Amino acid sequence: MTRVLYVGGFGRSGSTLLDRVLAQVRGCVAVGELVHLVQRGLLDDERCGCGAAFSACPFWSEVGVAAFGSAGWAAVDAADVRRRQQDLDRNRRIPAMALPRRGRRSAATADLGAWFGRVYAAVADVSGASVVVDSSKHASTAFLLRRAPGVDLRVVHLVRDSRGVAYSWAKRVQRPEVASAPAEMPRYGAGRSAAKWLSYNSLFHLLAATGVPTLPLRYEQLVADPRTALESVLELAGLDVTAERFGFVDPSGPAVDLAPSHSVAGNPMRFRSGRLGLVLDEEWRERMPAGSRSVVTAITAPLLTSYGYGRKSA
C-alpha cells in the first residue's frame, strides 16, 4: 500500500504552502497537484518545481520508468488518460463514486484510480519516502482515490476564511511554469469563488462521512503555529512525531527553510527555496470591496461560522 496524504479544499487556501512545508519532513515526498500531471507535465511539458521542464527532470524521468517500464512516460497515452480525467474526475460524478455500483463507467473509474495508484507507488519507490503528499485539492479526485487499489488515503481538509480566498481569486497571478508565452492563473468573481468554496468544502465533509481518515486544518493555524499544525498532520499520516522531523522550522519567526521540490503544479510559491517567513495574508480585510465581502459572507455563512471565522471577522 502507498500511503497518500491528500490536501483537499478550495484553491488559494494555503495548499501549496502546506505542500512545500511537508516536503521538508523526513519520510514525506511532496509532488504538488498530481491531478495536473498529465496535462501540465506530459502534454504541456511545463516546469517542475525544481525549475527544469517536466521532460528534463531526472526525478520525474525515474518515476516514469518505475511506473511504466523502460519506455517511461513514452509508454503512456497521455491524451487518453486526460480524456478519461475530463469525463470521470468531476464533482458531478461523486454520487456514483460514493456509492458501490457496477458497470462500465464504474470499471473505468477504477482503472483511472489504479493508474494514479501506479504513479504514487513509483513516486514512493524513487524517493524512498513512506508518505506521498498530493495537494491536488479536488474533491472528485479524492473520491476517485478512495477506492484506488494500493492507495492508503489520508486527507488534510485545509480551509481558509472565504473572504480571503475570494479576494485572492480576483487577483492577477502569473504562471511562471509556462515558458512558451505569458500565462495567468484563472480568476473568479466574488459570487463564483464563494459558491465554489462552499461546495468544495462541503464535499470533503461528505468524503469524511464515508470513513476516509480526515484532519480539518485552518490555514491561519498553519501560519501562526506551524509546529503544532504539522504534528497533527504527521499523526494523521502515520509518522512518528519526533523533534528531528522539525529541524527546518524556526519557531522564533515563525519561519521555515525550504529546499527545492519536484511539484508538478501549484501556486507560484512552489518555486521558492531558502528561508520563508510565515506571514498571515489578510490583505483582504483592508482592500476587499465591501460589496464583494458581503456577497461572499452571505453565500458561505453556513460553513464560515462552523469553521470558527464568524460572519464579520475571523
Side-chain angles (χ1 to χ4, degrees):
M1 298 290 286
T2 305
R3 204 176 312 161
V4 175
L5 186 63
Y6 188 91
V7 181
F10 186 44
R12 310 295 175 90
S13 296
S15 60
T16 301
L17 173 62
L18 180 57
D19 177 276
R20 296 289 285 113
V21 170
L22 287 171
Q24 316 311 311
V25 176
R26 181 173 54 84
C28 291
V29 57
V31 293
E33 300 172 3
L34 201 73
V35 68
H36 298 302
L37 168 72
V38 176
Q39 182 64 56
R40 299 184 185 181
L42 299 182
L43 295 175
D44 297 341
D45 200 26
E46 293 182 359
R47 290 171 62 208
C48 170
C50 69
F54 181 85
S55 60
C57 174
F59 174 80
W60 284 109
S61 295
E62 285 188 56
V63 169
V65 172
F68 303 105
S70 58
W73 297 110
V76 176
D77 185 343
D80 176 65
V81 177
R82 184 65 188 128
R83 280 193 296 270
R84 286 189 283 156
Q85 278 188 280
Q86 291 173 322
D87 179 37
L88 301 169
D89 190 358
R90 297 289 188 182
N91 284 351
R92 66 175 180 268
R93 304 291 188 199
I94 286 178
M97 288 189 279
L99 299 173
R101 294 188 178 185
R102 292 184 174 85
R104 187 169 59 183
R105 187 175 297 279
S106 179
T109 301
D111 286 345
L112 182 59
W115 189 90
F116 277 101
R118 196 170 177 178
V119 174
Y120 286 125
V123 167
D125 182 49
V126 170
S127 67
S130 55
V131 176
V132 179
V133 181
D134 179 356
S135 56
S136 290
K137 295 183 293 296
H138 295 194
S140 57
T141 305
F143 273 91
L144 183 79
L145 297 174
R146 171 172 159 258
R147 290 179 175 162
V151 172
D152 176 6
L153 183 66
R154 325 279 178 94
V155 173
V156 178
H157 180 192
L158 186 64
V159 299
R160 180 187 178 189
D161 191 304
S162 58
R163 281 77 59 103
V165 171
Y167 179 76
S168 181
W169 275 110
K171 292 181 177 180
R172 292 186 178 277
V173 178
Q174 296 294 319
R175 294 187 60 219
E177 62 267 41
V178 181
S180 57
E184 293 183 348
M185 297 182 74
R187 298 172 67 199
Y188 299 141
R192 188 175 182 191
S193 292
K196 283 179 170 287
W197 183 94
L198 185 65
S199 63
Y200 275 51
N201 286 306
S202 296
L203 288 170
F204 277 98
H205 289 292
L206 176 62
L207 180 71
T210 67
V212 174
T214 302
L215 172 72
L217 177 65
R218 299 202 324 174
Y219 154 78
E220 294 81 3
Q221 293 172 316
L222 173 65
V223 174
D225 188 359
R227 172 69 182 262
T228 301
L230 286 174
E231 287 178 352
S232 298
V233 172
L234 295 189
E235 287 177 1
L236 173 72
L239 294 175
D240 294 333
V241 179
T242 53
E244 58 266 26
R245 294 194 193 273
F246 299 98
F248 63 94
V249 178
D250 180 357
S252 63
V256 291
D257 292 315
L258 302 179
S261 70
H262 295 286
S263 56
V264 290
N267 186 284
M269 70 89 57
R270 70 192 178 95
F271 295 103
R272 288 279 304 271
S273 60
R275 183 178 174 83
L276 175 68
L278 299 181
V279 179
L280 191 62
D281 180 3
E282 293 203 313
E283 182 181 312
W284 65 273
R285 292 186 180 277
E286 301 295 330
R287 305 193 63 177
M288 187 175 192
S292 296
R293 182 168 175 163
S294 297
V295 167
V296 175
T297 302
I299 293 174
T300 62
L303 287 182
L304 194 64
T305 303
S306 69
Y307 292 154
Y309 293 112
R311 294 175 62 91
K312 293 185 178 181
S313 62

